[in-house]
Amino acid sequence: QLQMQEWGPGLVKPSETLSLTCTVSGGSISSSSYHWGWIRQPPGKGLEWIGTIYYSGSTYYNPSLKSRVTISVDTSKNQFSLKLRSVTAADTALYYCARKGYCSGDNCYVLVGEAFDIWGQGTMVTVSS
Amino acid sequence: SYELAQPPSVSVSPGQTARITCSGDALPKQYAYWYQQKPGQAPVLVIYKDSERPSGIPERFSGSSSGTTVTLTISGVQAEDEADYYCQSADSSGTYVFGGGTKLTVL
């Protein structure tokens, strides 16, 4: 059973860079059938997609965050990472990593299409001085 | 930017049917997905590709699509179904978006 676990600092100072890593266990991050993504949830608010990455390194970002976000993958460690630069209090949130099915045009490689079908438990990051 | 609109809240008595809608201009061309999130837990996929149910999800959960609106229907609502529900889809540029979420209250 594939599992995902986020980890990183729980407190980041304003204007600094938030860095998180997601470790994937029980399956390979190099699968051609999935993308790997980051989603966040501010306290008491809804879900916001941050971005996704394919094992090859191809990335897709939320336009509203694109200028500050970098997602990278390390297939040797079965991990992928998030960097969010110049953070403010508005970036305080519960950050989730999740697996997303891959579709190319009308062709989907997994049954669930482009759903985020497996999630980590989430890690809370607070931006404060 | 592309948005998906959901009602903030829906209330229903146990045993009744709950319907949660999600509207978006790209929904006629893009699949919708539904997630259930209970307090303190990560979201769980309950419907994929508009109307398909993952294994392990009770049959009372169903999904449908009509034009720019998709609907999550929970038949015979149980107390354990009280949660936040989010729809998710994509636009033509490969950007993914979540609806604002709907809080389902079981009276």
Side-chain angles (χ1 to χ4, degrees), chain B:
Chain B
S1 63
Y2 183 48
E3 293 183 354
L4 296 175
Q6 296 182 235
S9 64
V10 168
S11 298
V12 66
S13 298
Q16 292 189 329
T17 296
R19 294 181 179 84
I20 300 172
T21 59
C22 172
S23 299
D25 290 341
L27 289 177
K29 297 182 179 179
Q30 299 286 344
Y31 284 124
Y33 304 86
W34 289 96
Y35 303 85
Q36 176 194 66
Q37 186 180 34
K38 296 182 178 180
Q41 298 183 19
V44 172
L45 179 69
V46 294
I47 293 291
Y48 65 92
K49 290 184 178 179
D50 292 346
S51 59
E52 302 295 323
R53 193 174 54 251
S55 61
I57 300 301
E59 291 184 6
R60 63 181 181 274
F61 288 85
S62 64
S64 61
S65 175
S66 178
T68 59
T69 299
V70 293
T71 302
L72 172 69
T73 300
I74 310 172
S75 304
V77 167
Q78 301 182 6
E80 66 195 52
D81 299 330
E82 185 163 287
D84 294 328
Y85 291 86
Y86 295 90
C87 61
Q88 174 246 315
S89 189
D91 66 13
S92 57
S93 67
T95 297
Y96 299 93
V97 62
F98 289 91
T102 298
K103 181 177 180 59
L104 175 66
T105 299
V106 181
L107 301 170

Side-chain angles (χ1 to χ4, degrees), chain A residues 23-96:
Chain A
T23 298
V24 177
S25 58
S28 175
I29 203 169
S30 298
S31 168
S32 59
S33 299
Y34 295 99
H35 285 181
W36 307 91
W38 289 98
I39 297 132
R40 70 181 183 178
Q41 185 171 35
K45 296 187 178 181
L47 302 169
E48 180 181 33
W49 172 70
I50 300 171
T52 54
I53 191 166
Y54 196 47
Y55 77 96
S56 63
S58 298
T59 51
Y60 308 84
Y61 297 134
N62 185 327
S64 68
L65 298 170
K66 187 174 184 177
S67 64
R68 298 194 291 130
V69 172
T70 301
I71 297 175
S72 59
V73 63
D74 186 337
T75 55
S76 68
K77 295 182 178 179
N78 229 33
Q79 296 175 343
F80 63 106
S81 297
L82 168 69
K83 290 189 184 298
L84 180 63
R85 296 174 291 278
S86 303
V87 297
T88 69
D91 296 309
T92 293
L94 185 58
Y95 284 76
Y96 292 102

Side-chain angles (χ1 to χ4, degrees), chain A residues 83-127:
Chain A
K83 290 189 184 298
L84 180 63
R85 296 174 291 278
S86 303
V87 297
T88 69
D91 296 309
T92 293
L94 185 58
Y95 284 76
Y96 292 102
C97 61
R99 185 180 78 171
K100 187 186 73 64
Y102 175 43
C103 296
S104 177
D106 291 335
N107 297 317
C108 289
Y109 291 78
V110 294
L111 188 64
V112 295
E114 293 193 284
F116 292 95
D117 64 339
I118 297 178
W119 297 62
Q121 65 184 24
T123 188
M124 185 66 199
V125 179
T126 300
V127 178

